[in-house]
Amino acid sequence: MRLSRITLYPSPIALTEPFVISLGPLTHANNVLVKIESDTGLVGWGEASPFPTIHGETMAGCMAVGAFLARQLLGVDPRDPEMFTDRMDRAITGNACIKSAFDMACYDLAAQDAGQPLYTYLGGKNDKALHTDYTVSLGPIDKMVDKARWIKARGFPVVKLKLGEGPQDAERVRMISKEVGPDLPLRLDANQGWTTGLAIELLQGMAGYNIQHCEAPIPRRDFLDLPRIRAASPIPIMADEACWDHLDAQRLIDLKAIDRINIKISKSGGLFKALKILQMAEANDMPVQIGGFLESRLGFSAAAHLALCSNQAVFYDFDTPLMQSQDPIKGGIVYGAGGRVTLPEVHGLGAMPEADYLRNLEESGSTVCVQ
């Protein structure tokens, strides 16, 4: 099986309300869909969700780099992930987000060719329940409290809080914890917004709350300070922006800098490297969270397949498709009551864009086809 035709679609979808983190607000999921056709007639799909302030990639940039990568990948066998990953990494450094979309589509093709669901092809089993948290954007305390109340009323098992503004984050956590009660756990995500000293002060002050972990407390380049924060914190520390791929994961593990890792396919460069991080987590008995950026249900379907590949994947952050103003995806994960996420039992990824949505994108004249 060889790759014979690759098409890229810019896919901007407005959010129902701004999604605000310490790095700034976002109003749209500016994603890129990648369709890869094989010479056997199979079609695979992938999705990139670039966060400019994290990836250094944009939708327009992913389209341009994607066209370049597509020319390198024509003729490649999608069943050889080490080869197509090496081909992309040799062609251009960085650009993990758009590379992940090609990786995802290749794995979709390979799993279809094998006649297996993607999780089975990856070595996983559909033998555990997946429940997503729901995220409260950074903002005025009263609005964050209202949103936490809304999340609790809908039965989500965990409330995730975007923080990172400064000392006032302590009051945000106090008020939200008071509102939702001690039985509903919280997850904190500072998105690199604190200094080392402030992180230690805030985390020590939150010892009495039901908090599962804190993601990315400090700027990613300050990772050498993470061991000190971890030693002082009563709350487990989770790496996010400081851990892109398996090489970063090994470094942080060797430094004893973290308790947990947040794996995102769009951050690792694809499933091939994400699986390597999972293997390291297993070797070190380290829990991981499977998350994402602003992917649609297509990208998060891949995340759910990945989550079924390891017992170390125990936290799930699959909520952002629920924040988008339209759902253009056919198949894929289904959201149930209380944040329950289920996967269809079909071959491959099992998710693709709706035909009408694709037609509208094609009529915009902004798609790119390489063959």
Side-chain angles (χ1 to χ4, degrees), residues 26-349:
L26 295 113
T27 59
H28 288 73
N30 289 315
N31 299 337
V32 171
L33 300 171
V34 174
K35 176 185 180 181
I36 300 185
E37 299 170 66
S38 76
D39 59 2
T40 63
L42 295 176
V43 177
W45 285 96
E47 183 177 28
S49 184
F51 244 67
T53 53
I54 295 176
H55 292 108
E57 297 176 67
T58 64
M59 184 171 67
C62 283
M63 289 293 293
V65 174
F68 170 74
L69 286 172
R71 290 191 288 271
Q72 320 304 313
L73 292 177
L74 286 178
V76 164
D77 188 337
R79 297 166 297 187
D80 188 345
E82 187 167 8
M83 189 266 285
F84 67 66
T85 299
D86 182 68
R87 181 76 63 91
M88 290 193 290
D89 286 346
R90 285 178 178 272
I92 189 169
T93 191
N95 293 279
C97 191
I98 186 59
K99 288 176 180 177
S100 74
F102 286 97
D103 166 284
M104 194 183 300
C106 284
Y107 270 104
D108 186 12
L109 284 170
Q112 290 181 58
D113 181 69
Q116 298 175 331
L118 179 56
Y119 69 81
T120 303
Y121 183 78
L122 298 176
K125 296 180 180 179
N126 194 357
D127 59 355
K128 62 180 176 180
L130 306 178
H131 289 83
T132 183
D133 58 16
Y134 200 99
T135 304
V136 179
S137 285
L138 181 63
I141 293 177
D142 59 339
K143 290 186 177 181
M144 292 183 72
V145 170
D146 287 345
K147 191 66 174 185
R149 184 186 304 117
W150 180 92
I151 293 168
K152 180 180 181 180
R154 280 149 184 81
F156 286 91
V158 182
V159 176
K160 181 174 178 177
L161 306 180
K162 289 294 188 179
L163 303 172
E165 191 174 51
Q168 57 269 48
D169 287 336
E171 183 66 6
R172 288 184 167 98
V173 174
R174 187 186 74 82
M175 291 296 293
I176 291 169
S177 180
K178 179 181 178 182
E179 177 64 32
V180 302
D183 295 331
L184 186 62
L186 306 178
R187 295 175 187 165
L188 312 183
D189 186 358
N191 282 119
Q192 311 177 69
W194 298 332
T195 64
T196 297
L198 181 60
I200 292 172
E201 177 185 341
L202 289 174
L203 292 169
Q204 288 181 340
M206 297 173 186
Y209 303 123
N210 184 5
I211 297 173
Q212 290 182 340
H213 51 248
C214 177
E215 293 179 50
I218 58 175
R220 63 184 181 86
R221 294 189 184 277
D222 295 340
F223 66 90
L224 290 175
D225 284 350
L226 285 173
R228 181 154 64 97
I229 295 173
R230 182 190 180 207
S233 174
I235 295 166
I237 301 300
M238 175 176 282
D240 186 359
E241 289 95 327
C243 182
W244 284 68
D245 59 17
H246 56 294
L247 302 176
D248 288 337
Q250 190 62 64
R251 176 174 59 189
L252 293 170
I253 290 169
D254 290 345
L255 288 170
K256 296 181 171 53
I258 53 170
D259 301 285
R260 299 169 183 177
I261 297 173
N262 188 3
I263 301 176
K264 299 175 180 177
I265 298 171
S266 277
K267 178 162 60 86
S268 66
L271 290 160
F272 181 66
K273 293 180 182 178
L275 288 166
K276 288 180 179 291
I277 302 175
L278 271 181
Q279 291 166 1
M280 289 180 180
E282 290 168 354
N284 291 274
D285 195 24
M286 180 174 288
V288 303
Q289 176 171 286
I290 308 297
F293 292 93
L294 291 177
E295 292 93 341
S296 69
R297 286 192 306 107
L298 193 154
F300 274 103
S301 294
H305 282 284
L306 178 65
L308 296 176
C309 292
S310 173
N311 290 331
Q312 297 304 122
V314 293
F315 306 108
Y316 317 109
D317 184 21
F318 299 162
D319 59 342
T320 52
L322 300 172
M323 305 175 188
Q324 297 174 13
S325 61
Q326 63 180 125
D327 177 10
I329 304 304
K330 176 183 178 181
I333 57 171
V334 175
Y335 293 95
R340 178 70 185 268
V341 174
T342 54
L343 272 166
E345 290 293 323
V346 297
H347 297 166
L349 176 64

Side-chain angles (χ1 to χ4, degrees), residues 5-9 33-37 45 367-370:
R5 179 184 172 101
I6 300 173
T7 310
L8 295 97
Y9 304 82
L33 300 171
V34 174
K35 176 185 180 181
I36 300 185
E37 299 170 66
W45 285 96
T367 62
V368 173
C369 182
V370 177

